[in-house]
Amino acid sequence: MKNIYSTLLILFVSITAFGQKSDIRDGNKFFANAAYIDAADAYENVNEKSQEILQNLGDSYFYTNQMQNAAEVYEMLFLRHSGAVAPEYQFRYAHALMAQGNYVKADELMNELTGNDWNHEEFKNTLDTVVPHKFKYDQIMNNASSSDFGIGFYGDRVAFASTRNQERPIYPWNKMPALDLYSAQMDEDGEMKDIVLFSDVINTDEHESSATFSQDGNTIYFDRTNEDRVKNENDVRVAHISIYRAEMVDGEWTNVEKLPFSSEDYSVEHPSLSADGSKLYFASDMPGGSGSFDIYMVDINEDGTFGTPQNLGAGVNTAHREQFPFISEDDVLYFTSDGHQGFGNLDIYRTEGDFSEVENLGSSINSGNDDFAYVVKESDETGYFASNRRGTDNLYQFTREENEIVEAPTEVDPTSGQDLIPIDGSKIYFDFDKATIKKESEVVLDSVVTYMNDYPNIKVKVESHADARGSDSYNMALSKRRAASTVDYLVKKGIDRSRLTSEGYGETRPVNDCTQPTGCTNAEYAKNRRSAFVVSNRNSKSQSMTEENSEDSMDDDMIEDNEN
């Protein structure tokens, strides 16, 4: 009898081990083919999950918007394999936490990952005081699909992508039918009526989405997934995306052609046509970008040919995803990103002019989940966007209104013409050859703290100076130490260091004629031993860049001074 039990035990263990290997093999196969729902099911059956399985399982949940499950698996991954996990898993772990509203832990992870100061609460509060618009939105009612996105303007109608066509092949990534393009009429109650499938010239068994149209409605640009799958850098087989153009002739779409900068080796996607039809904006992970997907622009020539795609640069693009560009009739570019600081996963941003600076649209429209595919009619302050904040991709319509921003008062320095904080004297003074904060200066500094708390959109530059006694190099170092001690005081009082910059000018900017080491009274020299408080975000972009560079070199000099 004992031998029978032993034999049964060995048999059970063997069957279990065989089953575990089968689940791992199946999970790896599904994962390599981006069938993430099936991959997650297989990996969950594995009892002893290796680091690779935890990584793949966490990603399978993350890529199918099961953020709570993703966060739990990533947490286990980092508990068991801390120090051996690649940074991209920490990045996704943080975003999974943000989707769950756990910004405290997410901030810790992003601070460690980026070296920057991520403070969600302060970011949100500050942003809400400076964003140009506040949004009110409602989900668009359509009743026929569990996943719609990519809505755009199409004359007096809208065009959008949807999985509602049950005759299309099932996409293994999310177990839904392939996307098709539809048009619809939007009624006053926010419900889509007269929903019409675009013809088979546009729609195929592959995914089609992200339609954009010329002003006369006779030209369409749209996405289509390539038929062939190729392995990406993570050894996952993916079908890249190309942009197509078609023309309306005698009421029918025809002359469908793939744009020449599309490829089987990378994706070009999410086209947006400028109002005058001369430029096409799109996203791509083509070689030479910043990493993942970047936003590009290409000129459309009068004969319909194209120029060379131009990357929009580091102001817009990061090492992570920038997608879904939309260029408005006012030439404001809107796009989505998970690389700039935001509320979690994809957020919607805006930029204009030379595209060197971007702005998050704020908490009245962005959430911890993916918010994307934003389009707007600037003239009537209405538009649409998509979000998976309710579990699947859904369409939303919005109205926006001007955000009433309370301008912070300033006073003009008669000597420099700069905007200073309007406090008594607006300066503090130092003893000879000292950088320590004097007791009588604390009243002024506390007023600076109160001002910055009252106006959280304001950034301040501390400018510090020395008198003419001593060598030029010594006075420059001394003024930098004075700037540093001034900033340190404000930080200890609760002001976030990211709102402060500083620069030491030595003896180069006296407020009187005391430019020599002798010839003035102590009281006259004392007027030059000062720190002033300049409202720095009223300055030009180029000046702001100079300030950042000055602060960096100041920090290096301070380290050297402290060592000496």
Side-chain angles (χ1 to χ4, degrees):
M1 184 64 70
K2 183 177 180 181
N3 290 336
I4 291 175
Y5 286 142
S6 298
T7 301
L8 290 174
L9 179 61
I10 293 171
L11 194 60
F12 174 77
V13 171
S14 299
I15 292 173
T16 301
F18 178 80
Q20 295 284 287
K21 290 181 180 179
S22 178
D23 288 328
I24 294 171
R25 184 172 59 252
D26 290 345
N28 291 341
K29 179 182 177 181
F30 289 134
F31 190 86
N33 287 284
Y36 294 117
I37 291 177
D38 290 330
D41 290 342
Y43 287 137
E44 279 291 6
N45 292 326
V46 178
N47 294 327
E48 296 296 328
K49 295 179 177 62
S50 66
Q51 178 177 343
E52 181 183 8
I53 290 174
L54 289 173
Q55 290 173 171
N56 290 354
L57 178 58
D59 285 353
S60 296
Y61 284 135
F62 186 86
Y63 294 143
T64 53
N65 197 37
Q66 300 179 70
M67 292 301 184
Q68 181 173 344
N69 290 341
E72 291 173 355
V73 173
Y74 288 140
E75 180 181 22
M76 188 182 303
L77 170 66
F78 280 89
L79 285 173
R80 292 182 180 179
H81 304 283
S82 179
V85 185
E88 60 260 30
Y89 297 100
Q90 185 168 336
F91 178 84
R92 289 193 283 274
Y93 180 23
H95 280 275
L97 290 169
M98 284 187 266
Q100 297 299 300
N102 187 350
Y103 288 101
V104 174
K105 178 63 175 177
D107 285 346
E108 293 177 4
L109 291 170
M110 292 305 293
N111 286 334
E112 179 183 330
L113 185 64
T114 67
N116 297 326
D117 185 13
W118 282 58
N119 184 318
H120 168 76
E121 194 64 29
E122 182 173 316
F123 171 77
K124 175 184 178 300
N125 292 339
T126 301
L127 190 62
D128 286 346
T129 68
V130 298
V131 290
H133 300 102
K134 296 288 188 180
F135 294 85
K136 295 180 181 179
Y137 59 84
D138 291 297
Q139 185 175 336
I140 293 172
M141 305 306 295
N142 52 75
N143 302 320
S145 175
S146 58
S147 183
D148 296 339
F149 76 93
I151 195 168
F153 303 113
Y154 179 30
D156 60 356
R157 296 170 65 83
V158 294
F160 65 99
S162 176
T163 61
R164 66 184 64 211
N165 190 350
Q166 297 299 316
E167 296 181 3
R168 294 300 182 201
I170 299 300
Y171 185 38
W173 182 306
N174 57 10
K175 296 291 189 180
M176 292 181 182
L179 291 161
D180 276 342
L181 283 169
Y182 291 79
S183 71
Q185 192 75 45
M186 191 71 67
D187 70 11
E188 294 179 355
D189 297 323
E191 186 172 356
M192 290 193 296
K193 302 288 189 180
D194 186 29
I195 298 174
V196 178
L197 183 68
F198 277 76
S199 71
D200 289 344
V201 173
I202 302 297
N203 289 316
T204 68
D205 281 346
E206 306 301 327
H207 292 298
E208 282 83 25
S209 65
S210 301
T212 184
F213 300 86
S214 60
Q215 290 293 301
D216 61 10
N218 290 329
T219 303
I220 179 177
Y221 295 85
F222 64 96
D223 290 348
R224 180 181 291 164
T225 304
N226 298 337
E227 293 184 11
D228 295 332
R229 288 174 173 262
V230 297
K231 286 187 177 181
N232 64 11
E233 68 278 4
N234 297 319
D235 209 33
V236 176
R237 297 185 66 83
V238 298
H240 290 300
I241 299 169
S242 296
I243 296 177
Y244 288 75
R245 176 173 62 186
E247 298 174 333
M248 178 73 74
V249 178
D250 296 330
E252 300 289 339
W253 289 111
T254 187
N255 299 330
V256 178
E257 60 175 341
K258 183 187 292 189
L259 299 196
F261 45 85
S262 295
S263 174
E264 295 292 326
D265 298 323
Y266 53 81
S267 289
V268 293
E269 59 185 30
H270 310 153
S272 179
L273 187 64
S274 64
D276 63 3
S278 68
K279 299 180 186 301
L280 189 72
Y281 294 80
F282 62 93
S284 179
D285 59 349
M286 66 176 62
S290 302
S292 190
F293 281 87
D294 282 2
I295 305 298
Y296 289 79
M297 183 277 294
V298 64
D299 290 318
I300 303 175
N301 302 319
E302 290 186 4
D303 62 358
T305 59
F306 297 89
T308 302
Q310 303 294 319
N311 188 295
L312 293 195
V316 169
N317 295 314
T318 70
H320 300 285
R321 289 185 296 165
E322 281 72 46
Q323 295 174 301
F324 296 98
F326 172 76
I327 188 72
S328 76
E329 70 265 32
D330 292 343
D331 287 330
V332 179
L333 178 67
Y334 300 89
F335 67 98
T336 56
S337 173
D338 62 4
H340 297 278
Q341 185 168 7
F343 295 92
N345 296 285
L346 291 175
D347 272 10
I348 305 166
Y349 297 80
R350 71 188 299 275
T351 182
E352 56 186 320
D354 62 1
F355 305 140
S356 62
E357 295 183 357
V358 305
E359 183 175 41
N360 188 295
L361 294 197
S363 63
S364 66
I365 190 169
N366 285 315
S367 70
N369 295 94
D370 286 335
D371 306 295
F372 58 101
Y374 172 103
V375 300
V376 63
K377 286 187 176 179
E378 308 269 16
S379 56
D380 60 11
E381 308 290 354
T382 61
Y384 307 99
F385 72 102
S387 178
N388 63 8
R389 64 188 64 186
R390 294 180 178 173
T392 58
D393 293 338
N394 289 300
L395 298 173
Y396 295 80
Q397 62 177 353
F398 67 80
T399 59
R400 69 184 193 186
E401 55 187 26
E402 293 292 325
N403 185 20
E404 295 184 8
I405 300 172
V406 178
E407 287 288 341
T410 60
E411 64 181 27
V412 178
D413 187 325
T415 303
S416 65
Q418 294 173 310
D419 290 333
L420 301 181
I421 291 179
I423 57 178
D424 185 23
S426 70
K427 299 178 180 68
I428 63 170
Y429 296 90
F430 295 86
D431 288 332
F432 175 71
D433 200 26
K434 300 292 184 182
T436 52
I437 300 298
K438 300 167 68 174
K439 190 68 176 177
E440 54 264 35
S441 296
E442 293 181 2
V443 176
V444 177
L445 288 168
D446 290 342
S447 296
V448 174
V449 171
T450 299
Y451 175 90
M452 295 188 73
N453 285 332
D454 288 343
Y455 302 99
N457 57 315
I458 285 299
K459 294 183 179 181
V460 168
K461 180 185 179 186
V462 176
E463 297 187 347
S464 297
H465 309 266
D467 65 32
R469 294 174 291 183
S471 69
D472 291 349
S473 60
Y474 183 85
N475 285 336
M476 184 64 71
L478 177 61
S479 67
K480 290 178 179 180
R481 290 196 295 272
R482 286 171 174 165
S485 65
T486 306
V487 168
D488 286 344
Y489 183 95
L490 298 174
V491 171
K492 288 177 182 178
K493 289 290 185 173
I495 300 300
D496 190 271
R497 192 175 290 273
S498 65
R499 297 178 61 197
L500 297 164
T501 56
S502 58
E503 187 166 2
Y505 292 94
E507 60 185 85
T508 62
R509 294 187 179 182
V511 297
N512 51 29
D513 294 329
C514 296
T515 59
Q516 299 298 322
T518 60
C520 290
T521 66
N522 287 335
E524 289 171 329
Y525 281 122
K527 291 180 179 180
N528 291 324
R529 301 193 298 266
R530 68 200 191 277
S531 283
F533 306 96
V534 179
V535 180
S536 62
N537 56 339
R538 296 280 179 87
N539 295 338
S540 68
K541 295 176 183 177
S542 60
Q543 187 169 352
S544 176
M545 289 295 295
T546 302
E547 290 166 2
E548 291 176 8
N549 294 337
S550 298
E551 184 186 24
D552 289 342
S553 66
M554 184 200 77
D555 290 341
D556 292 339
D557 290 342
M558 281 173 52
I559 293 171
E560 184 177 347
D561 288 342
N562 290 338
E563 288 174 348
N564 292 335

